[in-house]
Amino acid sequence: MVTISRGFFGHHDSRAVDLPPGQHLTNGFPVLTAGPTQLISTEVWSFTITPEIGDPRRWSWEEMMALPSEEINVDIHCVTRWTKLGTHWRGVALDTFFEDIATDNEYAMVHSYGGYTTNLPLEDLVGGKAWIVYEYEGEPLQVEHGGPARLLVPHLYFWKSAKWVKGITMQRFDEPGFWEGFGYHNYGNPWREERYAGD
Ligand SMILES: Nc1nc2c(c(=O)[nH]1)N[C@H]1C(S)=C(S)[C@@H](COP(=O)(O)O)O[C@H]1N2
Ligand SMILES: [Mo]
């Protein structure tokens, strides 16, 4: 077990942990939800990408399961200052979904069952940086953590990883999502400590 950030050494130590500024390690997996947990069965669940112009494209659970999946091993960083290292997920890269979408909209709004939203640029969803995940540590994703499926965008603070993900609407112009509208940073890069608007 290693709990020393490389900041203490001032140089990279291979035994030290890559911890973004202002974060501490947790071994647990805290649950953070604004509002009630959403109970969505896989029969009901679907995922829709809606371009600003053109037809929406929808995937049922079975259709998503037929897509190529990947094992994802990443660190996750919550704006409330916990970081969890080496989490394992299985899911489908957003690149795979976006192969079917023709859009020149640069911004995305992610929508969840229950009404949660979060905004990010399209370029942060593609290029092997984001997934729709449905397994955590080899088990079906627990409902508290967004099961049956959530977005995983580990290079940004974890509030961008929408639980119970339902769809993405493409936009020509950026707009704040739920937490972004309450003063969280619009982008949320943990390495630059972009926690709140103005950071
Ligand atoms: N639908 C939905 N997704 C959400 C949230 C939420 O309240 N609703 N909270 C966000 C926040 S602030 C964090 S830190 C993570 C927490 O995920 P966890 O509960 O699996 O740790 O989910 C994010 N995704
Ligand atoms: Mo959070």
Side-chain angles (χ1 to χ4, degrees), residues 7-198:
F8 278 103
F9 295 96
H11 66 274
H12 187 78
D13 182 309
S14 62
R15 292 166 302 149
V17 156
D18 256 343
L19 207 52
Q23 296 292 108
H24 63 256
L25 293 178
T26 183
N27 291 319
F29 195 172
V31 171
L32 284 126
T33 305
T37 298
Q38 301 296 311
L39 301 171
I40 311 297
S41 73
T42 55
E43 287 98 79
V44 168
W45 185 91
S46 70
F47 177 66
T48 304
I49 299 180
T50 308
E52 209 171 81
I53 297 167
D55 293 330
R57 175 77 166 86
R58 178 183 171 276
W59 291 265
S60 68
W61 185 263
E62 286 71 26
E63 287 166 337
M64 177 172 74
M65 288 299 145
L67 298 174
S69 70
E70 299 172 16
E71 211 180 288
I72 305 132
N73 181 0
V74 289
D75 305 335
I76 53 179
H77 313 289
C78 177
V79 73
T80 63
R81 298 183 182 273
W82 56 264
T83 283
K84 192 168 174 55
L85 300 176
T87 61
H88 296 88
W89 308 80
R90 178 167 289 279
V92 177
L94 263 294
D95 300 277
T96 304
F97 295 96
F98 274 99
E99 273 171 19
D100 283 0
I101 306 294
T103 179
D104 48 23
N105 301 145
E106 285 177 37
Y107 299 99
M109 185 69 79
V110 183
H111 297 264
S112 293
Y113 289 96
Y116 184 84
T117 56
T118 189
N119 60 305
L120 63 183
L122 174 59
E123 65 173 24
D124 288 88
L125 289 174
V126 294
K129 295 196 285 287
W131 298 266
I132 304 294
V133 292
Y134 49 83
E135 276 181 25
Y136 176 72
E137 302 299 342
E139 302 285 343
L141 181 61
Q142 286 179 15
V143 66
E144 292 79 10
H145 290 298
R150 77 182 296 165
L151 182 67
L152 178 66
V153 195
H155 71 287
L156 300 176
Y157 281 123
F158 209 36
W159 87 78
K160 300 283 183 181
S161 293
K163 305 197 279 189
W164 314 293
V165 67
K166 182 179 200 271
I168 294 175
T169 54
M170 300 308 304
Q171 304 186 168
R172 250 180 92 201
F173 300 105
D174 198 14
E175 273 176 52
F178 178 79
W179 282 121
E180 295 84 0
F182 283 110
Y184 279 27
H185 196 278
N186 192 56
Y187 184 62
N189 180 346
W191 300 96
R192 293 191 183 154
E193 233 183 327
E194 295 170 347
R195 297 177 192 275
Y196 307 107

